[in-house]
Amino acid sequence: MKHFINLEDIPAKDLRKILIDAKKRKKARKKLNNLESDKGAPLRGKLLIQMFEKSSLRTRLSFYLAIKQLGGSTLTLRPDELHLSKGGESIEDTAKILSNFGNAFMFRTGNDFMLEEFGKYLSIPIINGLSPSSHPTQILSDVFTVEEIKKKAISKLSISWIGDSNNVLNSLIAASTKFSFKLKIGCPKNYQPDQKIINYIKKKRNKVSIFYDPKKAAEGADVIFSDKVISMNDKVNKRKKLNSFKKFTIDKKLMSFAKKDCIFLHCLPRGSEVNDEVFLSKQSKVWHQALNRVHVQKSILLYCFGKLR
Ligand code: CP
Ligand code: NVA
């Protein structure tokens, strides 16, 4: 069994195997309904326990369908109904119970430490469904979407991120190392990735550049990504932060600096970082992107269970 906590810790060849499996599975179930299982139902009888300390629509729904399509089932726990947060039950004891009752644990948390702690004590796989510092299932799925739409390996494409330096960007940076693609980041100077991330970029010598001018970051892009300026875990002066990002709003003018066939991706939910004209345009592939999470999460689950074909 394997955990899926951060892309940095997973070998590139395993990440590629997950994407290859997702492609095969997606193709093989074209005629099936959402709740019908894949041929062979490889996770028949398995229970995925999900817990969300923060809101979620897409991650919740896509994991629900993912495990169902593999023949298993899911149960969602509310953290405020557990002894863990109210009665002081330890993470170690909670993890022991989760491991005895379930077969995998998908966790969205407001505290990275909790992920590591659960990872230490669980004897079943843990999957990071978003933490303050990363969102690995989202980005792995986004690499899948990019390659599917562009019909090219992502290493041959120029990827841009225009927006906040947050959890989703951190995972995109990790992906740029694992899949070896060029990444241009456009953000205000005061909101660039933190020193730990800059050190990671330097250490891995990957092709990441940071621009304080959004036009420069958009130039020649095959894909432009963005995300909300204010994330769920942000403890900042919201008005001040939103003001600093005004020049970075993604509109038609900014998109015109990218390649003609550039696509726009956004993990959702959205805020003011992109206007409707772009978000609802043909270039925007956000709905397709959201649905692909089901397919990639199935292969992530199989990877965790040691059952990748
Ligand atoms: N993109 C994403 O993770 O969406 P949710 O927060 O709705 O799960
Ligand atoms: N960066 C966003 C992503 C939401 C899916 C957040 O953490 O709120």
Side-chain angles (χ1 to χ4, degrees):
M1 74 108 190
K2 295 208 164 69
H3 294 321
F4 191 92
I5 299 182
N6 280 311
L7 296 181
E8 291 89 318
D9 307 327
I10 303 172
K13 68 169 191 343
D14 288 354
L15 295 173
R16 179 51 75 188
K17 262 171 89 176
I18 294 173
L19 296 186
I20 292 170
D21 184 72
K23 191 172 173 183
K24 280 192 212 148
R25 281 186 184 279
K26 182 173 178 183
K27 195 168 168 211
R29 61 170 295 117
K30 271 201 174 129
K31 293 193 181 125
L32 296 180
N33 284 316
N34 277 352
L35 288 177
E36 286 178 284
S37 37
D38 284 11
K39 203 168 149 222
L43 296 187
R44 180 178 288 129
K46 303 286 186 198
L47 175 64
L48 170 71
I49 300 176
Q50 304 200 64
M51 187 159 85
F52 296 89
E53 289 183 337
K54 298 277 163 185
S55 312
S56 169
L57 174 64
R58 287 141 284 260
T59 306
R60 183 190 306 268
L61 287 173
S62 52
F63 269 105
Y64 176 83
L65 283 186
I67 187 84
K68 283 263 176 203
Q69 292 181 2
L70 294 170
S73 195
T74 180
L75 172 73
T76 301
L77 299 177
R78 288 178 48 141
D80 59 328
E81 290 178 350
L82 305 187
H83 297 286
L84 176 66
S85 47
K86 288 205 166 149
E89 183 161 62
S90 67
I91 295 184
E92 189 172 353
D93 290 358
T94 307
K96 178 87 181 154
I97 297 296
L98 292 176
S99 304
N100 288 346
F101 282 72
N103 302 103
F105 182 47
M106 203 294 304
F107 186 35
R108 171 167 288 192
T109 182
N111 183 348
D112 284 285
F113 173 76
M114 294 279 278
L115 266 174
E116 298 299 332
E117 283 296 287
F118 268 116
K120 262 201 307 219
Y121 298 121
L122 285 165
S123 56
I124 57 174
I126 183 167
I127 299 171
N128 173 4
L130 182 148
S131 77
S133 76
S134 65
H135 197 1
T137 62
Q138 174 73 53
I139 285 300
L140 190 56
S141 174
D142 293 349
V143 171
F144 180 87
T145 302
V146 167
E147 295 192 336
E148 183 180 56
I149 294 176
K150 289 289 176 187
K151 297 183 175 51
K152 267 188 195 162
I154 197 166
S155 57
K156 304 220 158 30
L157 298 168
S158 175
I159 309 296
S160 297
W161 171 277
I162 299 177
D164 190 25
S165 299
N166 62 15
N167 44 5
V168 181
L169 175 61
N170 291 346
S171 291
L172 187 63
I173 291 171
S176 76
T177 300
K178 297 287 170 177
F179 292 100
S180 194
F181 60 81
K182 210 168 107 194
L183 174 62
K184 294 204 249 179
I185 300 167
C187 61
K189 200 168 184 178
N190 293 342
Y191 293 96
Q192 59 181 348
D194 66 30
Q195 201 50 46
K196 203 174 134 212
I197 302 288
I198 306 260
N199 293 344
Y200 172 81
I201 294 171
K202 283 190 185 144
K203 193 170 139 215
K204 297 286 177 188
R205 290 202 188 89
N206 64 354
K207 306 174 251 179
V208 179
S209 13
I210 301 174
F211 301 91
Y212 307 130
D213 175 354
K215 295 192 279 303
K216 291 224 161 72
E219 234 161 46
D222 293 291
V223 183
I224 293 184
F225 276 93
S226 192
D227 186 15
K228 280 180 90 163
V229 172
I230 309 290
S231 278
M232 291 184 278
N233 285 295
D234 257 353
K235 290 166 193 72
V236 289
N237 179 329
K238 293 186 179 159
R239 194 182 309 157
K240 185 171 161 226
K241 190 170 179 188
L242 285 166
N243 259 332
S244 313
F245 275 88
K246 273 201 173 126
K247 270 191 359 213
F248 290 78
T249 304
I250 298 163
D251 52 19
K252 279 273 169 205
K253 175 99 196 354
L254 188 53
M255 287 299 285
S256 73
F257 289 90
K259 288 195 183 137
K260 263 213 167 79
D261 61 352
C262 173
I263 58 168
F264 174 75
L265 295 180
H266 191 302
C267 64
L268 297 171
R270 65 175 155 141
S272 55
E273 63 284 348
V274 53
N275 72 6
D276 274 3
E277 200 186 358
V278 171
F279 188 83
L280 302 171
S281 70
K282 281 213 172 102
Q283 281 177 288
S284 166
K285 304 292 176 196
V286 294
W287 312 120
H288 183 131
Q289 176 188 8
L291 255 181
N292 269 342
R293 294 200 56 203
V294 178
H295 302 290
V296 176
Q297 269 145 214
K298 284 162 68 180
S299 307
I300 291 174
L301 283 165
L302 289 168
Y303 162 77
C304 290
F305 280 95
K307 283 193 168 209
L308 266 192
R309 288 186 292 196

